[in-house]
Amino acid sequence: AAAMVSTSTTAAVILVHLLAILSIALSFSLVSNTLTSTSFVLHRQPAAAFAPPGSLPTRPSTCTVTASSSLSSSKWDNLVDDDDDDDSLDFGEDLPGPRDMRYIEFNIGRQNRNFVDIRTAGGPEMTNDVYARKAGDDTFWFAGKVARVSDVSPELAVARQWSLIETHAARLRPIELYPSRGKLELWIAPGDSEMDVAYNRPDCKFVQMKRPEDLEGVGVIRQAEIGFQGEIYEGGEDGFRTWRNDDGSPVKPEITDTPDKGDKRAPNDDEMKDIQEILKGKDLSEFFDD
């Protein structure tokens, strides 16, 4: 009888262990299925096509800021929308704006990569040069370049990245612009128009951009649809600047090789220095149409 009781007890213990193992296995299966389902939901889909079918426009012969132009949707297929954030290097207090446009290393690098990708796909027609000035001042400082896909206007491209661009401009010019940080004006010119600006071409007028709070549709622009490549000074560069009226037109007369015609004139020493700075390390074909 004792042997039978012992055998029954052993069988019961084994049964309890088997039930526990079965319960753990069932729980693991449920967790695994949940993770698989979640992973499917969070899986990042390929970047959508941002532009309707079309063809690249030819670059305007005059220095004029134009509206967005249509490109083939396949041009944008390789753009990646990265919503992650990395505070590996923080450059100080932020201006008001979206978290993904804070002036930190990760955001700066991501928007620079976006600029390169969009310019590679669409060319300089999808870019604009950006200048910053203190309100009421006639000195405009070159701050960098923005790029956007064809469905995004230059105004929205600047407004969406405003805090990033303005902070970069303020830090680029700590004496002239940083004291007015948060109140700076941003203006644009056509992409790669530095030579036209340096020569004070009268048809190369700047256009003032609206701040994000004064423009509708800013919040729907994805970070992958826009880019910013900030100006960087190397080797003691003074920085490129230009003098403009409040309507964006040049303050000084146009520079030309034939100064005897009209208001045109030859460049002075300071202007020649600025032109040489622009040309330094550049491919001259960038400044001329094919």
Side-chain angles (χ1 to χ4, degrees), residues 164-185:
L164 189 74
I165 297 172
E166 184 178 1
T167 303
H168 183 79
R171 292 180 176 276
L172 198 63
R173 307 303 308 182
I175 296 177
E176 299 89 354
L177 298 181
Y178 194 89
S180 299
R181 179 170 170 263
K183 300 178 181 179
L184 295 177
E185 295 178 359

Side-chain angles (χ1 to χ4, degrees), residues 61-65 188-190 193-207 242-245 247-256 261-265:
S61 58
T62 59
C63 184
T64 305
V65 178
I188 64 169
S193 61
E194 295 98 322
M195 289 298 295
D196 289 326
V197 172
Y199 277 90
N200 299 317
R201 305 297 188 212
D203 56 359
C204 193
K205 292 183 66 173
F206 288 7
V207 177
T242 183
W243 290 266
R244 299 265 154 172
N245 296 307
D247 64 353
S249 61
V251 169
K252 300 179 180 181
E254 181 181 0
I255 297 172
T256 180
K261 296 183 179 180
D263 293 332
K264 299 180 180 181
R265 60 187 176 81

Side-chain angles (χ1 to χ4, degrees), residues 14-289:
I14 293 174
L15 180 61
V16 170
H17 283 295
L18 288 175
L19 289 174
I21 293 172
L22 181 61
S23 176
I24 293 172
L26 180 59
S27 298
F28 178 79
S29 177
L30 290 173
V31 172
S32 177
N33 288 337
T34 301
L35 290 175
T36 301
S37 175
T38 303
S39 297
F40 176 77
V41 172
L42 297 180
H43 179 68
R44 192 181 304 281
Q45 299 298 320
F50 306 127
S55 58
L56 274 171
T58 57
R59 187 175 181 183
S61 58
T62 59
C63 184
T64 305
V65 178
T66 56
S68 301
S69 40
S70 177
L71 291 176
S72 171
S73 60
S74 62
K75 295 288 186 181
W76 311 125
D77 287 345
N78 293 327
L79 300 182
V80 178
D81 189 7
D82 193 341
D83 296 323
D84 296 331
D85 200 353
D86 181 358
D87 294 352
S88 56
L89 183 57
D90 196 327
F91 292 97
E93 296 181 2
D94 295 305
L95 293 173
R99 185 169 180 266
D100 61 357
M101 293 299 162
R102 292 175 55 209
Y103 198 74
I104 61 173
E105 181 183 18
F106 183 81
N107 293 340
I108 296 169
R110 183 196 60 235
Q111 292 311 113
N112 183 76
R113 292 191 297 273
N114 289 350
F115 175 90
V116 173
D117 290 343
I118 294 172
R119 182 188 170 96
T120 300
E125 292 82 4
M126 293 293 102
T127 70
N128 288 92
D129 296 348
V130 182
Y131 294 80
R133 76 158 181 171
K134 180 175 64 175
D137 197 353
D138 65 353
T139 304
F140 290 65
W141 295 92
F142 178 68
K145 297 171 180 282
V146 293
R148 82 277 177 194
V149 299
S150 56
D151 286 350
V152 178
S153 67
E155 293 82 3
L156 286 173
V158 172
R160 178 68 169 83
Q161 304 175 98
W162 189 285
S163 57
L164 189 74
I165 297 172
E166 184 178 1
T167 303
H168 183 79
R171 292 180 176 276
L172 198 63
R173 307 303 308 182
I175 296 177
E176 299 89 354
L177 298 181
Y178 194 89
S180 299
R181 179 170 170 263
K183 300 178 181 179
L184 295 177
E185 295 178 359
L186 298 182
W187 296 63
I188 64 169
D192 297 350
S193 61
E194 295 98 322
M195 289 298 295
D196 289 326
V197 172
Y199 277 90
N200 299 317
R201 305 297 188 212
D203 56 359
C204 193
K205 292 183 66 173
F206 288 7
V207 177
Q208 184 176 2
M209 297 291 95
K210 293 182 179 180
R211 300 187 72 89
E213 58 268 24
D214 299 327
L215 195 63
E216 295 183 358
V218 177
V220 300
I221 305 300
R222 297 167 55 197
Q223 57 188 219
E225 299 173 324
I226 52 177
F228 173 64
Q229 187 174 74
E231 169 73 327
I232 298 176
Y233 296 156
E234 297 179 352
E237 293 181 19
D238 291 333
F240 179 50
R241 77 207 77 178
T242 183
W243 290 266
R244 299 265 154 172
N245 296 307
D246 288 338
D247 64 353
S249 61
V251 169
K252 300 179 180 181
E254 181 181 0
I255 297 172
T256 180
D257 293 332
T258 55
D260 56 325
K261 296 183 179 180
D263 293 332
K264 299 180 180 181
R265 60 187 176 81
N268 57 38
D269 291 342
D270 290 338
E271 290 167 337
M272 280 303 303
K273 184 178 179 181
D274 285 339
I275 294 171
Q276 290 169 358
E277 287 289 343
I278 295 173
L279 295 176
K280 185 185 299 182
K282 297 281 189 179
D283 179 359
L284 294 183
S285 63
E286 295 179 10
F287 301 106
F288 302 97
D289 295 329

